[in-house]
Amino acid sequence: MMRLASLAVCATALQAPTRRRQVRTRLQIAPSGVDGLPVPLQAVVFLGCAGGIGGGAVACNAAIDKIRGAFQATGAGAEAWRKFVEIAFLGLGLLYVAAGVGHFAAADAFRAITPPFGTWGLWPVPTAPAFHVAWTGQAELVGGATLVAGGAAALAGVELEAPVKFIPPAACAGLLLLTIAVTPANIYMYTHGATMGTGPLPLTFHYVRFAVQCVLLGLLATLAKDSFFYAWGDEIE
């Protein structure tokens, strides 16, 4: 009897790790279920998300341009829109500075949402999370600080001279490209359930995040165009 009991205990001990591994495997499936799909289908979902965000950004940019056109129908409205651009520069600049600081203050959290090489069966970026988190954080800090400086100077009535006056518009365009470049990290959070140290995120969070991304990209595109033309127009005058 003792021998049979010992054999039963050993068998249970050998099977327990297998059960634990199976539980961990199930928990690795994202709430979206995308990472449980065959890799070709994961690629389709990724391309669909990227295309949807791109299309949404274009639509948001067109909507914001229409709002600008309505404002610029009168001289007072045109001046009000220019003031909005200056305030938006300051606000978005502070937002990007905070994000840049976060890349270094919470580097592990940002590394956790960096898509590894080969994700979705097509992601070509080499796996170097620490490097990617560092350079994107530095870019956000520099770009954000430039927007803050440009917006604050404009609101204070300080007129910058060329070529310095073109630096804030260039920084805004650079942040637009940077935001496009890091968008796959947001998609990775959705498709593979990656988080920044939190528990599983509900699907509603990701859908709202994608919508915010569309608005942000559309706004950055409008601000980059408008700030450049303001600087160029002032230079012509």
Side-chain angles (χ1 to χ4, degrees):
M1 289 294 294
M2 290 296 296
R3 185 173 182 180
L4 288 175
S6 299
L7 289 174
V9 170
C10 291
T12 302
L14 290 173
Q15 291 174 2
T18 302
R19 286 198 296 269
R20 286 196 294 269
R21 282 197 296 272
Q22 289 172 347
V23 170
R24 285 198 296 270
T25 300
R26 285 196 295 272
L27 290 177
Q28 286 173 357
I29 302 299
S32 66
V34 175
D35 55 341
L37 298 174
V39 172
L41 289 181
Q42 292 185 32
V44 171
V45 172
F46 167 76
L47 294 175
C49 290
I53 293 173
V58 171
C60 287
N61 178 239
I64 295 171
D65 283 348
K66 286 186 177 181
I67 296 173
R68 177 192 58 196
F71 265 86
Q72 292 179 336
T74 65
E79 187 59 33
W81 184 263
R82 180 162 185 163
K83 187 66 66 176
F84 164 75
V85 172
E86 295 167 355
I87 295 173
F89 258 36
L90 186 59
L92 284 178
L94 291 172
L95 179 66
Y96 275 98
V97 167
V101 171
H103 276 65
F104 298 97
D108 289 342
F110 283 91
R111 284 196 288 266
I113 63 171
T114 303
F117 177 79
T119 303
W120 310 294
L122 48 75
W123 189 240
V125 180
T127 300
F131 170 74
H132 294 307
V133 170
W135 80 260
T136 53
Q138 291 173 352
E140 288 178 344
L141 280 171
V142 173
T146 304
L147 289 193
V148 170
L155 290 171
V158 178
E159 186 173 349
L160 302 176
E161 300 294 332
V164 176
K165 64 171 57 182
F166 293 104
I167 295 178
C172 189
L175 287 174
L176 170 63
L177 296 177
L178 177 64
T179 304
I180 294 173
V182 301
T183 294
N186 303 122
I187 299 176
Y188 178 62
M189 293 176 70
Y190 167 69
T191 60
H192 286 68
T195 68
M196 302 179 74
T198 65
L201 297 169
L203 294 180
T204 304
F205 169 86
H206 298 291
Y207 300 147
V208 172
R209 182 68 180 83
F210 289 161
V212 170
Q213 195 82 345
C214 293
V215 175
L216 178 60
L217 290 170
L219 180 59
L220 283 170
T222 297
L223 294 178
K225 291 183 296 184
D226 289 357
S227 59
F228 174 78
F229 284 118
Y230 287 146
W232 183 259
D234 292 344
E235 185 66 16
I236 292 176
E237 292 176 0

PDB file of all heavy atoms in Angstrom, residues 163-184:
ATOM      1  N   PRO A 163      15.565  81.053 -39.176  1.00  0.00           N
ATOM      2  CA  PRO A 163      14.808  79.818 -39.427  1.00  0.00           C
ATOM      3  C   PRO A 163      14.212  79.197 -38.155  1.00  0.00           C
ATOM      4  O   PRO A 163      13.588  78.152 -38.226  1.00  0.00           O
ATOM      5  CB  PRO A 163      15.871  78.905 -40.030  1.00  0.00           C
ATOM      6  CG  PRO A 163      17.125  79.303 -39.297  1.00  0.00           C
ATOM      7  CD  PRO A 163      17.020  80.799 -39.083  1.00  0.00           C
ATOM      8  N   VAL A 164      14.387  79.859 -36.991  1.00  0.00           N
ATOM      9  CA  VAL A 164      13.939  79.281 -35.735  1.00  0.00           C
ATOM     10  C   VAL A 164      12.428  79.061 -35.731  1.00  0.00           C
ATOM     11  O   VAL A 164      11.924  78.077 -35.182  1.00  0.00           O
ATOM     12  CB  VAL A 164      14.354  80.181 -34.549  1.00  0.00           C
ATOM     13  CG1 VAL A 164      13.792  79.637 -33.234  1.00  0.00           C
ATOM     14  CG2 VAL A 164      15.863  80.292 -34.478  1.00  0.00           C
ATOM     15  N   LYS A 165      11.674  79.978 -36.382  1.00  0.00           N
ATOM     16  CA  LYS A 165      10.215  79.884 -36.352  1.00  0.00           C
ATOM     17  C   LYS A 165       9.686  78.629 -37.056  1.00  0.00           C
ATOM     18  O   LYS A 165       8.543  78.231 -36.854  1.00  0.00           O
ATOM     19  CB  LYS A 165       9.591  81.123 -36.983  1.00  0.00           C
ATOM     20  CG  LYS A 165       9.892  81.299 -38.464  1.00  0.00           C
ATOM     21  CD  LYS A 165       9.058  82.412 -39.075  1.00  0.00           C
ATOM     22  CE  LYS A 165       9.253  83.716 -38.369  1.00  0.00           C
ATOM     23  NZ  LYS A 165       8.416  84.792 -38.936  1.00  0.00           N
ATOM     24  N   PHE A 166      10.532  78.009 -37.893  1.00  0.00           N
ATOM     25  CA  PHE A 166      10.102  76.795 -38.596  1.00  0.00           C
ATOM     26  C   PHE A 166      10.386  75.521 -37.789  1.00  0.00           C
ATOM     27  O   PHE A 166       9.961  74.436 -38.188  1.00  0.00           O
ATOM     28  CB  PHE A 166      10.791  76.699 -39.957  1.00  0.00           C
ATOM     29  CG  PHE A 166      10.361  77.769 -40.919  1.00  0.00           C
ATOM     30  CD1 PHE A 166      11.185  78.845 -41.189  1.00  0.00           C
ATOM     31  CD2 PHE A 166       9.116  77.703 -41.526  1.00  0.00           C
ATOM     32  CE1 PHE A 166      10.778  79.841 -42.068  1.00  0.00           C
ATOM     33  CE2 PHE A 166       8.705  78.699 -42.413  1.00  0.00           C
ATOM     34  CZ  PHE A 166       9.543  79.783 -42.679  1.00  0.00           C
ATOM     35  N   ILE A 167      11.095  75.661 -36.676  1.00  0.00           N
ATOM     36  CA  ILE A 167      11.429  74.479 -35.879  1.00  0.00           C
ATOM     37  C   ILE A 167      10.196  73.873 -35.211  1.00  0.00           C
ATOM     38  O   ILE A 167      10.007  72.648 -35.264  1.00  0.00           O
ATOM     39  CB  ILE A 167      12.518  74.815 -34.845  1.00  0.00           C
ATOM     40  CG1 ILE A 167      13.822  75.178 -35.563  1.00  0.00           C
ATOM     41  CG2 ILE A 167      12.746  73.642 -33.898  1.00  0.00           C
ATOM     42  CD1 ILE A 167      14.961  75.573 -34.620  1.00  0.00           C
ATOM     43  N   PRO A 168       9.317  74.665 -34.561  1.00  0.00           N
ATOM     44  CA  PRO A 168       8.112  74.052 -33.966  1.00  0.00           C
ATOM     45  C   PRO A 168       7.237  73.311 -34.971  1.00  0.00           C
ATOM     46  O   PRO A 168       6.791  72.190 -34.687  1.00  0.00           O
ATOM     47  CB  PRO A 168       7.400  75.246 -33.325  1.00  0.00           C
ATOM     48  CG  PRO A 168       8.494  76.203 -33.006  1.00  0.00           C
ATOM     49  CD  PRO A 168       9.444  76.082 -34.159  1.00  0.00           C
ATOM     50  N   PRO A 169       6.947  73.890 -36.174  1.00  0.00           N
ATOM     51  CA  PRO A 169       6.176  73.118 -37.155  1.00  0.00           C
ATOM     52  C   PRO A 169       6.873  71.815 -37.547  1.00  0.00           C
ATOM     53  O   PRO A 169       6.218  70.783 -37.726  1.00  0.00           O
ATOM     54  CB  PRO A 169       6.066  74.068 -38.346  1.00  0.00           C
ATOM     55  CG  PRO A 169       6.181  75.434 -37.761  1.00  0.00           C
ATOM     56  CD  PRO A 169       7.153  75.286 -36.632  1.00  0.00           C
ATOM     57  N   ALA A 170       8.212  71.870 -37.687  1.00  0.00           N
ATOM     58  CA  ALA A 170       8.956  70.656 -38.031  1.00  0.00           C
ATOM     59  C   ALA A 170       8.859  69.635 -36.909  1.00  0.00           C
ATOM     60  O   ALA A 170       8.739  68.426 -37.148  1.00  0.00           O
ATOM     61  CB  ALA A 170      10.415  71.003 -38.313  1.00  0.00           C
ATOM     62  N   ALA A 171       8.898  70.110 -35.647  1.00  0.00           N
ATOM     63  CA  ALA A 171       8.772  69.203 -34.507  1.00  0.00           C
ATOM     64  C   ALA A 171       7.393  68.560 -34.490  1.00  0.00           C
ATOM     65  O   ALA A 171       7.256  67.372 -34.175  1.00  0.00           O
ATOM     66  CB  ALA A 171       9.014  69.968 -33.203  1.00  0.00           C
ATOM     67  N   CYS A 172       6.363  69.326 -34.849  1.00  0.00           N
ATOM     68  CA  CYS A 172       5.001  68.779 -34.888  1.00  0.00           C
ATOM     69  C   CYS A 172       4.896  67.693 -35.956  1.00  0.00           C
ATOM     70  O   CYS A 172       4.302  66.638 -35.722  1.00  0.00           O
ATOM     71  CB  CYS A 172       4.011  69.909 -35.173  1.00  0.00           C
ATOM     72  SG  CYS A 172       2.283  69.428 -34.997  1.00  0.00           S
ATOM     73  N   ALA A 173       5.492  67.952 -37.128  1.00  0.00           N
ATOM     74  CA  ALA A 173       5.493  66.939 -38.187  1.00  0.00           C
ATOM     75  C   ALA A 173       6.274  65.705 -37.748  1.00  0.00           C
ATOM     76  O   ALA A 173       5.886  64.568 -38.039  1.00  0.00           O
ATOM     77  CB  ALA A 173       6.094  67.523 -39.463  1.00  0.00           C
ATOM     78  N   GLY A 174       7.385  65.925 -37.023  1.00  0.00           N
ATOM     79  CA  GLY A 174       8.169  64.803 -36.530  1.00  0.00           C
ATOM     80  C   GLY A 174       7.394  63.963 -35.523  1.00  0.00           C
ATOM     81  O   GLY A 174       7.467  62.732 -35.536  1.00  0.00           O
ATOM     82  N   LEU A 175       6.633  64.616 -34.652  1.00  0.00           N
ATOM     83  CA  LEU A 175       5.818  63.877 -33.676  1.00  0.00           C
ATOM     84  C   LEU A 175       4.694  63.118 -34.367  1.00  0.00           C
ATOM     85  O   LEU A 175       4.292  62.045 -33.911  1.00  0.00           O
ATOM     86  CB  LEU A 175       5.242  64.845 -32.641  1.00  0.00           C
ATOM     87  CG  LEU A 175       6.252  65.393 -31.625  1.00  0.00           C
ATOM     88  CD1 LEU A 175       5.598  66.446 -30.745  1.00  0.00           C
ATOM     89  CD2 LEU A 175       6.826  64.265 -30.767  1.00  0.00           C
ATOM     90  N   LEU A 176       4.191  63.662 -35.476  1.00  0.00           N
ATOM     91  CA  LEU A 176       3.189  62.937 -36.268  1.00  0.00           C
ATOM     92  C   LEU A 176       3.784  61.627 -36.777  1.00  0.00           C
ATOM     93  O   LEU A 176       3.178  60.558 -36.641  1.00  0.00           O
ATOM     94  CB  LEU A 176       2.722  63.804 -37.431  1.00  0.00           C
ATOM     95  CG  LEU A 176       1.842  63.112 -38.493  1.00  0.00           C
ATOM     96  CD1 LEU A 176       0.533  62.633 -37.885  1.00  0.00           C
ATOM     97  CD2 LEU A 176       1.582  64.060 -39.663  1.00  0.00           C
ATOM     98  N   LEU A 177       4.985  61.705 -37.354  1.00  0.00           N
ATOM     99  CA  LEU A 177       5.640  60.498 -37.866  1.00  0.00           C
ATOM    100  C   LEU A 177       5.985  59.532 -36.726  1.00  0.00           C
ATOM    101  O   LEU A 177       5.855  58.312 -36.877  1.00  0.00           O
ATOM    102  CB  LEU A 177       6.912  60.880 -38.634  1.00  0.00           C
ATOM    103  CG  LEU A 177       6.696  61.711 -39.906  1.00  0.00           C
ATOM    104  CD1 LEU A 177       8.045  62.097 -40.530  1.00  0.00           C
ATOM    105  CD2 LEU A 177       5.847  60.948 -40.923  1.00  0.00           C
ATOM    106  N   LEU A 178       6.415  60.089 -35.598  1.00  0.00           N
ATOM    107  CA  LEU A 178       6.748  59.243 -34.450  1.00  0.00           C
ATOM    108  C   LEU A 178       5.516  58.514 -33.931  1.00  0.00           C
ATOM    109  O   LEU A 178       5.577  57.319 -33.611  1.00  0.00           O
ATOM    110  CB  LEU A 178       7.353  60.099 -33.334  1.00  0.00           C
ATOM    111  CG  LEU A 178       7.695  59.366 -32.035  1.00  0.00           C
ATOM    112  CD1 LEU A 178       8.792  58.333 -32.264  1.00  0.00           C
ATOM    113  CD2 LEU A 178       8.109  60.351 -30.944  1.00  0.00           C
ATOM    114  N   THR A 179       4.392  59.217 -33.872  1.00  0.00           N
ATOM    115  CA  THR A 179       3.155  58.597 -33.390  1.00  0.00           C
ATOM    116  C   THR A 179       2.710  57.480 -34.326  1.00  0.00           C
ATOM    117  O   THR A 179       2.208  56.441 -33.882  1.00  0.00           O
ATOM    118  CB  THR A 179       2.050  59.657 -33.260  1.00  0.00           C
ATOM    119  OG1 THR A 179       2.512  60.715 -32.394  1.00  0.00           O
ATOM    120  CG2 THR A 179       0.779  59.060 -32.669  1.00  0.00           C
ATOM    121  N   ILE A 180       2.898  57.688 -35.632  1.00  0.00           N
ATOM    122  CA  ILE A 180       2.598  56.621 -36.595  1.00  0.00           C
ATOM    123  C   ILE A 180       3.514  55.426 -36.341  1.00  0.00           C
ATOM    124  O   ILE A 180       3.076  54.266 -36.363  1.00  0.00           O
ATOM    125  CB  ILE A 180       2.767  57.135 -38.039  1.00  0.00           C
ATOM    126  CG1 ILE A 180       1.700  58.204 -38.348  1.00  0.00           C
ATOM    127  CG2 ILE A 180       2.675  55.986 -39.034  1.00  0.00           C
ATOM    128  CD1 ILE A 180       1.902  58.893 -39.686  1.00  0.00           C
ATOM    129  N   ALA A 181       4.796  55.709 -36.073  1.00  0.00           N
ATOM    130  CA  ALA A 181       5.778  54.639 -35.887  1.00  0.00           C
ATOM    131  C   ALA A 181       5.503  53.790 -34.658  1.00  0.00           C
ATOM    132  O   ALA A 181       5.798  52.577 -34.651  1.00  0.00           O
ATOM    133  CB  ALA A 181       7.184  55.242 -35.805  1.00  0.00           C
ATOM    134  N   VAL A 182       4.923  54.391 -33.596  1.00  0.00           N
ATOM    135  CA  VAL A 182       4.695  53.628 -32.372  1.00  0.00           C
ATOM    136  C   VAL A 182       3.278  53.060 -32.289  1.00  0.00           C
ATOM    137  O   VAL A 182       2.959  52.330 -31.340  1.00  0.00           O
ATOM    138  CB  VAL A 182       4.968  54.499 -31.115  1.00  0.00           C
ATOM    139  CG1 VAL A 182       6.399  55.007 -31.118  1.00  0.00           C
ATOM    140  CG2 VAL A 182       3.987  55.662 -31.019  1.00  0.00           C
ATOM    141  N   THR A 183       2.446  53.356 -33.277  1.00  0.00           N
ATOM    142  CA  THR A 183       1.079  52.835 -33.273  1.00  0.00           C
ATOM    143  C   THR A 183       1.033  51.296 -33.226  1.00  0.00           C
ATOM    144  O   THR A 183       0.144  50.735 -32.576  1.00  0.00           O
ATOM    145  CB  THR A 183       0.299  53.357 -34.495  1.00  0.00           C
ATOM    146  OG1 THR A 183       0.139  54.779 -34.360  1.00  0.00           O
ATOM    147  CG2 THR A 183      -1.081  52.725 -34.596  1.00  0.00           C
ATOM    148  N   PRO A 184       1.964  50.577 -33.894  1.00  0.00           N
ATOM    149  CA  PRO A 184       1.938  49.110 -33.769  1.00  0.00           C
ATOM    150  C   PRO A 184       2.007  48.614 -32.332  1.00  0.00           C
ATOM    151  O   PRO A 184       1.507  47.520 -32.035  1.00  0.00           O
ATOM    152  CB  PRO A 184       3.165  48.671 -34.574  1.00  0.00           C
ATOM    153  CG  PRO A 184       3.286  49.725 -35.636  1.00  0.00           C
ATOM    154  CD  PRO A 184       2.933  51.003 -34.927  1.00  0.00           C
TER     155      PRO A 184
END
